[in-house]
Amino acid sequence: MLRCPVTYADLDDAAQVEVLRPAALAAAARFGLDVARVELVAHAFNTTFRVDARDGTGVALRVHTNSMSTPDNVRAQLAWQRAIADETEVWVPRPLLADEGEWFVRVPCAGYGGEVLVTAATWLDGPDVADPDEAVARALGRTMALLHRHAGAWEPPVGSSLPTFDTPLFGDPDRLSGAEGLDAGGQEVVEEARARCDEAFGRVLRDGQALRALHADLHGGNLKWVDGRLGVFDFDDCGLGVPALDLAIATFYLRAGGAAREAALRAGYAEVAPLPDVDPADLEALVAARQLLLANDLLGSSTRDLRAASRDYLATSVERLRRWLDTGLFTRDPAPGRS
């Protein structure tokens, strides 16, 4: 009896990490790191290792396994991140150049099924925020406005580019249409929600707001909070969009447990710059669009545990989107009668 070959996507999380670890070590050498210790930090959308070099340098080494970013995108993302580090007060990791003078290296990884792209940046000490309180939310608003102000005068260097965020799925393949686990009612909700979000994206872009680089993933898992100072990392999702989209994405993650944190986010932004001028209904659609994007991403993940969670998350997404369609307000709070 013939056995089908085991692919990377078939492996459990621990086995996937061990497939990627040698590639991370090979990449570390090409970033000029004399490795004393390497430890796993996160294995989810992508995989991040912390590398401690013998000279005491701490580095975040990211293996891009699920990223949709092209090499030109990565060049732009890290060039902007470096410019932020050099030109603003925003606390971000400083990307490292590899020995070839690139912001990334490609490393053969047989167990993955081909090459992996790896980036490196200085380590930000301190715990991840996870669940922001009002003080962090206010600081995030200020930081977001500073990033938007800097991006308004910055352009991707020659030889690099950023994707344009002009649709709810950000140009990713559509995995929601006909997804396994969606019944007819759920499919109808997803289709109606996507149509409304598409319309909102079109209106917001037609309003004449200039496109600029956005982080596009500002949530607690990409933030550090140390002695009242906010650090921002993970620029892998950044692209060109309108400031209202960044505000909506951050709002999505704060939409549980009351309105105080969202109000703090907006107040912090307004300390630096006027809030984006967008119709409240369109802003709600941009918030809801994040739910579509996350559900779509999960369905295509190569990380087995995340892929296994996709069916339950799809059901949660349908519930949240249905409530938004019914009420005009997107929330991540559980529906009445559910925990």
Side-chain angles (χ1 to χ4, degrees):
M1 177 178 174
L2 293 175
R3 296 193 177 199
C4 295
V6 175
T7 68
Y8 174 83
D10 295 323
L11 301 174
D12 64 20
D13 282 14
Q16 287 184 344
V17 170
E18 292 315 306
V19 163
L20 299 174
R21 191 182 298 272
L25 287 170
R30 293 172 61 186
F31 281 104
L33 301 172
D34 183 9
V35 177
R37 187 180 68 153
V38 58
E39 84 177 287
L40 177 70
V41 175
H43 179 63
F45 187 71
N46 294 303
T47 303
T48 302
F49 295 91
R50 171 167 177 153
V51 172
D52 290 304
R54 297 190 191 282
D55 65 1
T57 303
V59 172
L61 205 68
R62 171 164 293 194
V63 184
H64 294 237
T65 52
N66 285 292
S67 173
M68 299 296 292
S69 297
T70 67
D72 281 356
N73 296 158
V74 174
R75 291 185 183 102
Q77 291 160 2
L78 297 186
W80 185 41
Q81 188 174 334
R82 183 63 177 262
I84 293 165
D86 289 343
E87 300 167 8
T88 78
E89 64 190 72
V90 179
W91 182 31
V92 297
R94 186 175 294 273
L96 305 184
L97 285 169
D99 51 11
E100 298 93 342
E102 273 279 21
W103 292 115
F104 59 85
V105 297
R106 296 177 183 272
V107 181
C109 186
Y112 180 73
E115 291 184 327
V116 289
L117 187 148
V118 184
T119 58
T122 55
W123 185 262
L124 291 187
D125 286 320
D128 293 355
V129 168
D131 189 27
D133 60 17
E134 289 178 43
V136 175
R138 192 180 192 100
L140 176 56
R142 290 194 299 268
T143 298
M144 185 189 300
L146 290 169
L147 291 174
H148 290 170
R149 186 167 68 188
H150 181 267
W154 179 87
E155 292 185 0
V158 174
S160 72
S161 65
L162 290 173
T164 299
F165 297 149
D166 53 3
T167 64
L169 300 186
F170 288 6
D172 293 351
D174 176 13
R175 305 180 186 95
L176 291 170
S177 297
E180 183 179 351
L182 269 185
D183 60 18
Q187 189 68 63
E188 184 179 350
V189 167
V190 167
E191 289 175 1
E192 183 179 351
R194 186 171 175 185
R196 289 199 193 178
C197 291
D198 268 322
E199 292 169 0
F201 268 80
R203 282 191 295 270
V204 170
L205 292 176
R206 283 196 300 271
D207 281 346
Q209 296 187 56
L211 299 182
R212 67 190 68 195
L214 306 177
H215 183 282
D217 201 21
L218 290 170
H219 60 76
N222 291 331
L223 305 174
K224 303 274 189 180
W225 182 248
V226 180
D227 296 331
R229 186 184 188 196
L230 189 72
V232 177
F233 59 98
D234 189 358
F235 281 70
D236 180 54
D237 287 338
C238 77
L240 298 176
V242 296
L245 180 57
D246 237 3
L247 185 66
I249 290 169
T251 298
F252 170 89
Y253 294 100
L254 299 177
R255 279 286 174 91
R261 296 184 302 167
E262 185 178 344
L265 175 76
R266 289 166 173 268
Y269 194 106
E271 290 176 8
V272 175
L275 284 161
D277 184 14
V278 60
D279 184 275
D282 285 340
L283 184 65
E284 286 300 312
L286 297 185
V287 175
R290 188 64 173 182
Q291 190 69 65
L292 289 167
L293 180 68
L294 294 177
N296 190 65
D297 281 350
L298 209 58
L299 288 169
S301 177
S302 65
T303 305
R304 195 172 75 172
D305 286 3
L306 290 181
R307 198 168 62 253
S310 62
R311 182 183 289 266
D312 287 345
Y313 193 74
L314 193 56
T316 297
S317 299
V318 169
E319 179 183 286
R320 291 172 178 173
L321 292 168
R322 180 181 283 117
R323 278 187 284 160
W324 166 59
L325 294 173
D326 289 343
T327 67
L329 179 68
F330 183 87
T331 177
R332 292 171 61 236
D333 283 323
R338 296 189 61 175
S339 58

